[in-house]
Amino acid sequence: MEFNLEEAIPVLERTPAVLSALLAEIPERWADSREGPDAWSPSEIVGHLIHGERTDWIPRARIILKQASFRRFEPFDRFAELKSDRPLRARLDEFDQLRSENVATLRGWNLKDKDLELTGEHPELGSVTMRQLLATWVVHDVSHIAQITRTMAREYTEAVGPWTAYFRVLQREVRQ
Amino acid sequence: MEFNLEEAIPVLERTPAVLSALLAEIPERWADSREGPDAWSPSEIVGHLIHGERTDWIPRARIILKQASFRRFEPFDRFAELKSDRPLRARLDEFDQLRSENVATLRGWNLKDKDLELTGEHPELGSVTMRQLLATWVVHDVSHIAQITRTMAREYTEAVGPWTAYFRVLQREVRQ
């Protein structure tokens, strides 16, 4: 499927509601579950998504749009904001607020095809287009929802007994 | 994590809201996306979940609770109700309705530890307990949410360009 801004925005807009529906007031053992010692819990993933709203997607898109001669992105710290003393409910609300603002910013730019072809420089990947950045934002959202629900599924690997045989997600080794 | 009814029910209760937040009024290309020719689309997975509400979880739990001498479950048809002429929004609402009723039924049984140890006979897996059945219901929900979001992520495998390197979900072969 080719990237299309009018199809991508509806996914970006939905993510806060999906996460709140899934995680708000959920028993803590689910929010704190993890696939392995170095894997992220659902709660930590919410922190990671908040950090992305602040430092990754829109700030990088701004660098691209500006088209200055130096347009290398700041490296994204994948491990920032994982931990927090604030309740999960408050962090879900913060993510919702940040995402709303960022989607409003994105809409306000009214990007055309030629804007989607503009490039910035990723610190590891080299030249990337606005289109690739925005597609990655979408993939990042839905793959973290997949990670959260997979993490939750795997908590019951033993509990399902013989049904393990029917769920590949309970069988394979998962690394963070 | 051991199965605990008071932790399992909150997950079962949340699934309709999660699916509606994710899929209601989403552009059709997302709802109809699939990982491969034999894989299920998000829209089809909703149909599969509806069928489960009607024929799988609660009906099987009733067979276990009844403790008749013959307590083999009907085979679950994984491919029933995948297709539908009804709009996705209507099917999401139907799933919500069926799930609410089924969770109310489950709560009403007020199952104790000894009830969770009662067994039925799975047509392929043999003897299974109520506890395993209910844990599987939870795993089935969250693993299908993971499947839906993974399917959506993979639609942009090409679109993200060099960022593919950062997403294992975009790299591995996925079979239905």
Side-chain angles (χ1 to χ4, degrees):
Chain A
M1 177 163 149
E2 289 192 7
F3 177 82
N4 177 315
L5 194 57
E6 294 311 309
E7 289 173 342
I9 287 176
V11 180
L12 295 174
E13 284 178 325
R14 279 164 169 73
T15 302
V18 173
L19 292 174
S20 291
L22 184 62
L23 298 176
E25 278 89 48
I26 204 167
E28 279 186 16
R29 292 223 299 183
W30 292 115
D32 295 336
S33 61
R34 55 186 81 238
E35 294 178 277
D38 296 328
W40 296 350
S41 68
S43 174
E44 289 171 343
I45 292 166
V46 172
H48 168 73
L49 288 165
I50 287 171
H51 190 66
E53 293 308 297
R54 280 201 242 279
T55 69
D56 190 335
W57 314 106
I58 288 290
R60 288 179 169 190
R62 284 190 202 282
I63 290 172
I64 294 177
L65 269 186
K66 203 171 165 193
Q67 288 292 293
S69 56
F70 182 85
R71 45 190 192 247
R72 186 180 297 175
F73 308 150
E74 289 289 318
F76 178 57
D77 181 355
R78 294 176 59 232
F79 301 98
E81 300 198 52
L82 290 184
K83 310 286 183 191
S84 170
D85 294 333
R86 295 166 50 235
L88 180 55
R89 172 77 266 179
R91 293 198 292 152
L92 289 164
D93 290 344
E94 181 178 16
F95 176 63
D96 188 9
Q97 177 66 29
L98 291 167
R99 174 59 60 92
S100 295
E101 292 165 9
N102 284 339
V103 168
T105 298
L106 176 60
R107 279 196 196 282
W109 287 335
N110 192 19
L111 299 175
K112 304 299 179 198
D113 273 354
K114 68 173 174 35
D115 304 311
L116 295 173
E117 289 309 308
L118 297 174
T119 60
E121 191 189 336
H122 187 282
E124 288 182 347
L125 301 172
S127 180
V128 291
T129 66
M130 177 73 88
R131 188 189 307 272
Q132 290 166 342
L133 174 70
L134 298 177
T136 304
W137 194 2
V138 171
V139 168
H140 187 263
D141 271 21
V142 287
S143 65
H144 276 304
I145 298 168
Q147 180 187 15
I148 288 169
T149 45
R150 187 186 70 214
T151 298
M152 292 170 67
R154 290 166 63 92
E155 285 295 310
Y156 274 173
T157 303
E158 307 294 326
V160 302
W163 265 289
T164 317
Y166 289 179
F167 293 92
R168 268 197 310 281
V169 70
L170 303 185
Q171 292 159 31
R172 63 190 170 80
E173 289 298 309
V174 174
R175 298 162 301 139
Q176 170 56 27
Chain B
M1 176 163 149
E2 289 193 7
F3 176 82
N4 177 315
L5 194 57
E6 294 311 308
E7 289 173 342
I9 287 176
V11 179
L12 295 173
E13 284 178 327
R14 279 164 168 73
T15 302
V18 173
L19 292 175
S20 291
L22 183 62
L23 298 176
E25 277 89 48
I26 204 167
E28 279 186 17
R29 293 223 299 183
W30 292 114
D32 296 335
S33 62
R34 54 185 82 240
E35 294 177 276
D38 296 329
W40 295 350
S41 69
S43 174
E44 289 170 342
I45 291 167
V46 172
H48 168 72
L49 289 166
I50 287 171
H51 189 68
E53 293 308 297
R54 278 200 242 282
T55 70
D56 190 334
W57 313 105
I58 289 290
R60 288 179 170 191
R62 282 190 203 283
I63 289 172
I64 294 177
L65 269 187
K66 202 172 164 193
Q67 287 291 294
S69 56
F70 182 85
R71 45 190 193 244
R72 186 180 296 173
F73 307 150
E74 289 288 318
F76 178 57
D77 181 354
R78 293 177 60 231
F79 301 98
E81 300 197 53
L82 291 185
K83 310 286 183 191
S84 171
D85 294 334
R86 296 165 50 232
L88 180 54
R89 170 78 265 180
R91 292 197 292 151
L92 289 164
D93 291 344
E94 181 179 15
F95 177 63
D96 188 8
Q97 177 66 29
L98 290 167
R99 173 58 59 93
S100 295
E101 292 165 9
N102 284 338
V103 168
T105 298
L106 176 60
R107 279 196 195 281
W109 287 335
N110 192 21
L111 299 175
K112 304 300 179 197
D113 273 353
K114 68 174 174 35
D115 304 311
L116 295 173
E117 290 308 309
L118 296 174
T119 60
E121 191 189 337
H122 187 283
E124 289 182 348
L125 302 172
S127 180
V128 291
T129 65
M130 177 73 88
R131 188 189 308 273
Q132 290 166 341
L133 174 70
L134 298 177
T136 303
W137 194 3
V138 171
V139 167
H140 187 262
D141 271 21
V142 287
S143 64
H144 277 304
I145 298 168
Q147 180 187 17
I148 288 169
T149 45
R150 187 186 70 212
T151 298
M152 293 171 67
R154 289 166 64 93
E155 285 294 310
Y156 275 172
T157 302
E158 307 295 325
V160 303
W163 265 289
T164 316
Y166 289 179
F167 293 92
R168 268 197 311 279
V169 71
L170 303 185
Q171 292 159 30
R172 64 192 167 80
E173 289 297 311
V174 174
R175 298 160 301 138
Q176 169 55 28

